[in-house]
Every structure is written in structure tokens, then in C-alpha cells.
Amino acid sequence: MTIELLIFDCDGVLIDSEPVASGTLAQALQRAGVPLSHAEVHRRFTGLSGEAGRRLCMEELGLADPDRVFADAKSALYEEFPRSLQPMAGMEKLVRDLKQRKCVASNSDMERLRRSLGLFDLWAEFAPHIYSAEMVARPKPAPDLFLLCAENLGVEPGRCLVIDDSALGIAGAVAAGMAAIGFVDPADPRSGRHEALKVAGALRTVEGAGELALALAALSSSEKEKASSEGKPAVEAAG
């Protein structure tokens, strides 16, 4: 495949926000009388859109007013981000060195993206092509957000590659007709992450920014070799 657009998930791929978010949500749920551990919240809520998280609270946890819990968690999260949030190790350099066009596709809303990704130079690397699920009718795992990215940047879905750490995101990419790489945080405490991402349809999985850089370099090299064998220049879009 010829890759013209790289589409990055944000939380858990570009920035190490998911442990922070799971911790503040676990505390908010405990204050509301739901005794879920940090690890259990991380397992059950990571990658969900806000609406899907609210449905989980009502349908599985029996909370009548999840909005209050999420407002409590959001307030604590936005206070914590400037204190403890960091980019994923090695990701800033990887993004700076990319040759292909790139964008962000996140199930988070734009306020959260500005308060998290916006703390770092990564925001400027992607802006204005930072897209939130609130911009489309359906969040991941629907294909809507990925198709919006492709449309806005004028790239065919079959020439897009998604990097996502969630099975929901991988499934959405596949539904959009895009290839996907499953990204695994080396510090993720959950087991079976590689398998879950492959089952969802990931072309391959990588662990950390170092392995991702190698995978992208290998794909670029194979594109150039194919183009050379066909006597044509490789398609390469400027970042």
C-alpha cells in the first residue's frame, strides 16, 4: 500500500493520559458509591467515547446520574493534567520526523484535547488537523471520524494508515477501509493487548514509539522498492 496519510489516536498513543484519566474516574466512581479499582476502570473504560462511558455507568454499574460522576472526574482530570501528563516516550521525535501528512482522530472532545495534547508541541505538529468524535454522528468504532479525516485532507481511505491503541479504534479504521497498526504502551498493565488489537483487524502491532518508527520505516521502504520495480517514483507527501 502507498501511505499518504497517517491518522493518530491521541490518548495512549501520542500522550500518556489514560492512566491519569482512569485514576480520576475511579476516584469519582468510588465517591459515588461504585467500588471499582483503578485497574478495573482502566480495563472497562479506556477507549470509550463519553456517551459510551455514560451508558456503561447506567446499564452495568447502576448509576442513575452518571453526568455528575463524569463532571467530578473531568474537573479532577483537568487539574491533574498540568501536573502529571506526559507525551508517550519517543513520540514527539517520531512525529517531527514524519514525511507523510498526518492528523489526529480522537474519541475525546475538543476541550479535553486542548487541555491535554495542547500542553505539548505535539499540538502544533498536527494543527489544524485535529479531529474529535464530537465532529461526527458516531464515535469509534464507527468509521465516521476516520472518513472525516480522509475527506478533509483529500486522501482516499485506502491510502490512510491508522495508529490506535484501542480495539474500537482499530475496528473503526477497518470499517473505513483503512489499514491499521495496533499500538501497545509498554507500561500497560492489561494483558492480551496485542491479541485484542490483531483480532480487531490490526495489520500488525507494535510496542512503544521505537517499534512504531521501525514499522513505519519498513512500510516506507517496501513502498519505494515496489515503485522502483515498477519504474515509477514512490508517492511521498510532505508533512
Side-chain angles (χ1 to χ4, degrees), residues 19 65 70 88 91-92 94 96 102 116 124 140 144 157 165 174 188 212 214 226:
D65 188 11
F70 277 88
M88 295 298 291
M91 196 58 73
E92 288 178 304
L94 182 150
R96 283 197 304 269
K102 56 190 179 290
S116 56
K140 307 173 193 179
D144 303 29
D165 70 322
V174 172
D188 195 322
L212 176 58
L214 290 173
K226 180 180 178 182

Side-chain angles (χ1 to χ4, degrees), residues 35-53:
L36 284 186
S37 69
H38 184 172
E40 182 67 7
V41 170
H42 193 67
R43 183 182 70 82
R44 298 179 72 175
F45 284 86
T46 296
L48 296 182
S49 66
E51 183 57 35

Side-chain angles (χ1 to χ4, degrees), residues 154-185:
V155 179
E156 291 294 322
R159 294 178 181 268
C160 299
L161 178 66
V162 173
I163 299 100
D164 207 300
D165 70 322
S166 165
L168 297 178
I170 299 297
V174 172
M178 300 178 182
I181 289 179
F183 183 88
V184 178
D185 176 3

Side-chain angles (χ1 to χ4, degrees), residues 60-216:
E60 298 184 30
L61 304 181
L63 277 175
D65 188 11
D67 286 343
R68 180 180 299 178
V69 172
F70 277 88
D72 182 14
K74 178 184 281 190
S75 177
L77 182 65
Y78 289 166
E79 290 179 6
E80 188 60 31
F81 272 158
R83 291 194 290 262
S84 60
L85 184 62
Q86 294 293 327
M88 295 298 291
M91 196 58 73
E92 288 178 304
K93 182 180 187 307
L94 182 150
V95 169
R96 283 197 304 269
D97 291 345
L98 290 174
K99 303 302 181 186
Q100 296 95 340
R101 302 172 74 187
K102 56 190 179 290
C103 68
V104 173
S106 174
N107 263 356
S108 293
D109 59 37
M110 286 303 297
E111 180 186 14
R112 173 166 164 167
L113 287 168
R114 290 190 185 97
R115 287 176 176 261
S116 56
L117 188 67
L119 294 172
F120 308 106
D121 291 341
L122 282 165
W123 180 277
E125 290 289 341
F126 286 98
H129 299 297
I130 298 171
Y131 301 100
S132 161
E134 67 184 355
M135 299 175 176
V136 293
R138 301 174 299 169
K140 307 173 193 179
D144 303 29
L145 184 57
F146 295 121
L147 293 174
L148 175 67
C149 293
E151 179 182 357
N152 282 4
L153 281 106
V155 179
E156 291 294 322
R159 294 178 181 268
C160 299
L161 178 66
V162 173
I163 299 100
D164 207 300
D165 70 322
S166 165
L168 297 178
I170 299 297
V174 172
M178 300 178 182
I181 289 179
F183 183 88
V184 178
D185 176 3
D188 195 322
R190 297 171 293 173
S191 62
R193 297 304 303 148
H194 289 273
E195 292 75 13
L197 295 170
K198 288 175 182 176
V199 168
L203 182 69
R204 63 181 296 177
T205 60
V206 297
E207 194 161 314
E211 287 191 8
L212 176 58
L214 290 173
L216 294 177

